[in-house]
Every structure is written in C-alpha cells, then in structure tokens.
C-alpha cells in the first residue's frame, strides 16, 4: 500500500496488478487472524458445541465449496447412503474444510482428494485421503501441533500452520480422536473418529 501511495503506477495495468496483490495479501492476513482467534478459543476450552445429527454428504459438500480450489471435480465423497454424524455442524464443516485445504496444498494439482466415511463399533470414522508426498513416520503426530510444518512440506509458503491444530481441537472437543497415516501407494490419510450417542451406537 505504501508503495502504491508514494510511487504512483505509471499506467492502469500496473495499478490493477498492485491492487490485486494488496487484495490477496489482505485476504491472507484476515484468514490468519480468524484462525488465530479460533485456535485461541479452542485452547481456552471456550468452544460452544451444539451437536445434532447432520447429513454427512451435505456437510462434505459444504466443506468442499469453501476450499480455495477451482477444480471441484477432484473431490469425491463415499459413505453409506444417508449416513449422519452427531456433531456441531458448523464446527465439523470447519474441521473438514481445514483437512481438505491441507490436502489441496500438499498434493499435486488435479490429483484426487477423497472423503470417505464408515460406521464402525459405535463410532463414525471420516477420512480425508490424498496422493501428496506423505508424512515422515516420526512426524505423524507432530503435524497436529500449532505452527508445525512437516519436512516434506516446508517449501510450501501457503497457509498459517494452524489448520491441522484447529481440526484436532474441534474433533477432541467432540470427544473424538484424529490421527494421520501414510497410504499404500503414496499419500496421506487424516482419520477422524467420532463417538455416537449410546442409543444410536
């Protein structure tokens, strides 16, 4: 902004280019502030959770719509027909969006990203699968730490390093667990396991 004010651009094309850069950086700053506030709420245990049975397919569709990716065809969803998850819909959408964004950032452009879900032993198991570089075995737990970036992704400047920590906090606030594992054939699976109410388990 300072450069735009002190050194006025010589033509409209340059001006528009500079304004576009300012807009992008402002959006990134706003995203960083939003995530920092959200993570602070999680860490202070001030999340207000209002769980209800929510259609998982709709939840996944909403999450995909928020991912910063024009290639929607690479995202697929597979689960038993009519499967629901007992959770706060807004928070679960946020957690799922964070996982999808993480897969997008660290996967080759156009490679498939899948959301798969099953019901198992009184729990709902939701996985986000990609074909990125995978995670070093000694880092599978550390990737959920705030600001931590795996060795295979440190050259990726995009993002705040808070996404997986936010997802972990949301899942744990629901009484669930989340973990990462490497996939056969390459790529990463982030797996969320959520309890169901006893009457529904």
């Amino acid at each position: 902004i300072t450069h735009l004010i002190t050194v006025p651009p010589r033509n409209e094309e340059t001006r528009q280019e500079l304004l576009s850069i300012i807009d992008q950086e402002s959006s990134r700053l706003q995203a960083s502030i939003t995530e920092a506030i959200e993570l602070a709420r999680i860490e202070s245990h001030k999340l207000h959770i209002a769980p209800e049975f929510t259609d998982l397919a709709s939840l996944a569709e909403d999450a995909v719509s928020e991912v910063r990716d024009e290639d929607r065809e690479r995202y697929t969803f597979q689960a038993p027909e009519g499967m629901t998850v007992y959770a706060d819909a807004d928070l679960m959408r946020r957690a799922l969006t964070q996982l999808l964004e993480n897969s997008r950032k660290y996967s080759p452009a156009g490679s498939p990203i899948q959301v798969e879900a099953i019901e198992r032993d009184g729990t709902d198991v939701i996985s986000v699968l990609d074909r990125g570089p995978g995670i070093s075995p000694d880092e599978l737990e550390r990737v959920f730490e705030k600001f931590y970036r795996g060795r295979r992704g440190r050259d990726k400047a995009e993002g705040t390093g808070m996404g997986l920590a936010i997802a972990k906090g949301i899942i744990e606030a629901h009484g669930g667990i989340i973990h990462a594992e490497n996939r056969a054939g390459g790529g990463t699976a982030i797996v969320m396991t959520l309890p169901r109410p006893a009457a529904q388990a």
Side-chain angles (χ1 to χ4, degrees), residues 6-191:
T6 58
V7 186
R10 296 182 179 181
N11 55 61
E12 183 61 20
E13 182 179 355
T14 302
R15 177 177 176 276
Q16 289 299 325
E17 182 179 352
L18 289 171
L19 288 174
S20 177
I21 293 172
I22 292 169
D23 182 63
Q24 292 175 16
E25 293 303 319
S26 296
S27 296
R28 289 176 184 171
L29 179 60
Q30 182 61 50
S32 297
I33 293 171
T34 299
E35 290 191 343
I37 293 172
E38 189 168 19
L39 191 55
R41 288 176 57 214
I42 290 171
E43 293 178 337
S44 63
H45 306 288
K46 291 184 178 180
L47 280 182
H48 173 67
I49 299 176
E52 59 183 354
F53 285 102
T54 303
D55 180 69
L56 190 53
S58 297
L59 196 64
E61 184 178 352
D62 290 344
V64 169
S65 72
E66 295 190 7
V67 177
R68 296 186 292 273
D69 193 343
E70 296 181 358
D71 184 6
R72 304 295 185 195
E73 298 301 318
R74 67 189 296 204
Y75 300 89
T76 59
F77 175 76
Q78 181 177 342
E81 185 175 357
M83 181 175 175
T84 61
V85 60
Y86 188 71
D88 185 296
D90 288 338
L91 290 174
M92 274 303 301
R93 173 187 48 76
R94 181 65 172 157
L96 192 52
T97 299
Q98 292 286 7
L99 300 187
L100 291 169
E101 276 286 356
N102 189 75
S103 289
R104 177 191 67 80
K105 288 185 287 189
Y106 298 111
S107 299
S111 63
I113 297 174
Q114 303 157 273
V115 178
E116 296 183 358
I118 59 172
E119 300 174 10
R120 184 171 64 203
D121 299 329
T123 65
D124 295 320
V125 182
I126 308 166
S127 303
V128 175
L129 314 171
D130 64 48
R131 288 299 182 187
I135 301 171
S136 299
D138 61 322
E139 296 182 298
L140 288 171
E141 294 185 12
R142 295 201 65 193
V143 293
F144 294 100
E145 296 176 6
K146 181 170 57 177
F147 305 130
Y148 186 80
R149 295 180 184 275
R151 287 191 294 271
R152 298 178 185 177
R154 286 174 184 166
D155 60 334
K156 299 279 186 178
E158 185 183 355
T160 63
M162 291 184 279
L164 292 184
I166 289 172
K168 181 175 185 287
I170 290 173
I171 297 305
E172 291 183 345
H174 283 81
I177 57 175
I178 186 171
H179 73 276
E181 57 190 53
N182 287 309
R183 302 178 64 193
T188 301
I190 305 292
V191 184

